[in-house]
Amino acid sequence: MKRQFTGQAATDFSLMIHGGAGAIRDPQRYGPSLRAIVESGARLLAAGSSALDAVVHCVALLEDDPLFNAGRGAVLNAEGDVLCDASVMDGRTLKAGAAAAVRAVRNPARLAYEVMENSGHVLLVGEGAERFARERQLRFESEDYFKTQERVAQLAKAKRERAIALDHSGVADGKLGTVGAVARDRNGDLAAATSTGGVVNQLCGRVGDSPIIGAGTFADNASCAVSCTGVGEDFIRTSLARAAAFFIEFRAMPAEEAAREAIRYLVAKVNGQGGLIIVDREGRYGQAHSTPGMLTAAFVGGVARVGVT
Ligand code: GLY
């Protein structure tokens, strides 16, 4: 499963997703879900859906899958609660929407989309965001839906070890959490979406990079679509998603080179831990990480390919 997806998609659309970065102990476990989700998103794009609809669709599916640290599989904070963050950005218009520290919303990525399209704002947090989700008639779930046995055990271990840990770090199975998707549709439009439960045993109220436009998510038709995963504080302090787009727009790098350069920058500036995926304005893929591995899947040459790099 050691594969890296770079270069051209070889179709008239591009789609790449990620399921977190870190030291992936059991990659086979994630492959079937990643493959099914990228295939599902690719079917939409092949039928003419927008990049925006495709990335929200893929991230919502990742949120519904308890394997990933977002939505249903979100990690627990220090109080044993699940509070989720998500964002989405439309490369056509630079419109963006995000939600942070929301409880019980089944698909935070869909809430981010609603914030973008129907709130007049970019970022809503906490109870206000939840009220808005109810107004927009989004689905809510009970506490039991989110608190999987695996996540409860993971928090207990983190507390024993006094650790604040990423989903895929030693406290879990070595993988850093967060999920995301980037796409270029048949019209050449770009979009990105990212979603997370944050880090295991985080303080209640802590927000990472995933709902911060320019840190965890960025999309602009002039350059690329980017979704990040890793230690959110590192990505916020380096505005990493925006930095990657800058390398493409102003230094004419292809996606592959921009991804590598962004991770070099992350490490040089803050010794940051994590990774990112990119689709550029030409539809080329890029991915890079400073962690031992990253879970990704992409639609390449007309088929879904899954790998841990
Ligand atoms: N990258 C997710 C977080 O730090 O919350």
Side-chain angles (χ1 to χ4, degrees), residues 85 166 177-178 196 198-199 202 206-210 228-233:
D85 308 328
L166 293 140
T178 303
T196 192
V199 295
Q202 68 184 9
R206 180 261 182 195
V207 173
D209 60 313
S210 301
C228 301
T229 171
V231 178
E233 286 76 1

Side-chain angles (χ1 to χ4, degrees), residues 239-277:
S239 304
L240 203 81
R242 185 66 189 92
F246 181 96
F247 295 142
I248 290 173
E249 187 169 1
F250 301 111
R251 293 201 199 156
M253 292 183 192
E256 185 180 349
E257 189 183 349
R260 283 200 305 266
E261 188 61 25
I263 291 299
R264 265 199 293 275
Y265 179 77
L266 177 77
V267 172
K269 288 287 181 184
V270 298
N271 196 24
Q273 287 293 300
L276 80 171
I277 58 171

Side-chain angles (χ1 to χ4, degrees), residues 83-106:
L83 294 178
C84 291
D85 308 328
S87 63
V88 60
M89 189 160 184
D90 184 347
R92 286 173 296 195
T93 55
L94 299 196
K95 278 166 63 178
V102 293
R103 195 188 304 267
V105 176
R106 180 181 173 120

Side-chain angles (χ1 to χ4, degrees), residues 19-88:
I24 319 290
R25 294 222 182 109
D26 186 7
Q28 310 301 334
R29 206 175 158 216
Y30 304 95
S33 290
L34 291 168
R35 181 182 305 281
I37 291 168
V38 94
E39 282 173 352
S40 178
R43 277 195 295 275
L44 288 186
L45 287 165
S49 286
S50 68
L52 184 60
D53 285 347
V55 296
V56 172
H57 172 80
C58 288
V59 172
L61 290 175
L62 288 158
E63 289 171 340
D64 289 346
D65 190 325
L67 280 180
F68 300 102
N69 174 16
R72 182 159 190 212
V75 299
L76 305 186
N77 68 20
E79 297 177 12
D81 276 339
V82 172
L83 294 178
C84 291
D85 308 328
S87 63
V88 60

Side-chain angles (χ1 to χ4, degrees), residues 10 42 46 49 51 88 113 130 134 152 164 201 219 222 230 269 298:
S49 286
V88 60
Y113 175 86
E130 290 157 20
R134 286 188 203 285
V152 171
I164 295 169
N201 203 20
K269 288 287 181 184

Side-chain angles (χ1 to χ4, degrees), residues 150-172:
E150 186 174 344
R151 295 311 186 202
V152 171
Q154 187 182 47
L155 177 63
K157 187 167 190 280
K159 284 192 177 290
R160 275 197 308 277
E161 295 175 2
R162 297 184 201 288
I164 295 169
L166 293 140
D167 173 30
H168 299 294
S169 68
V171 168

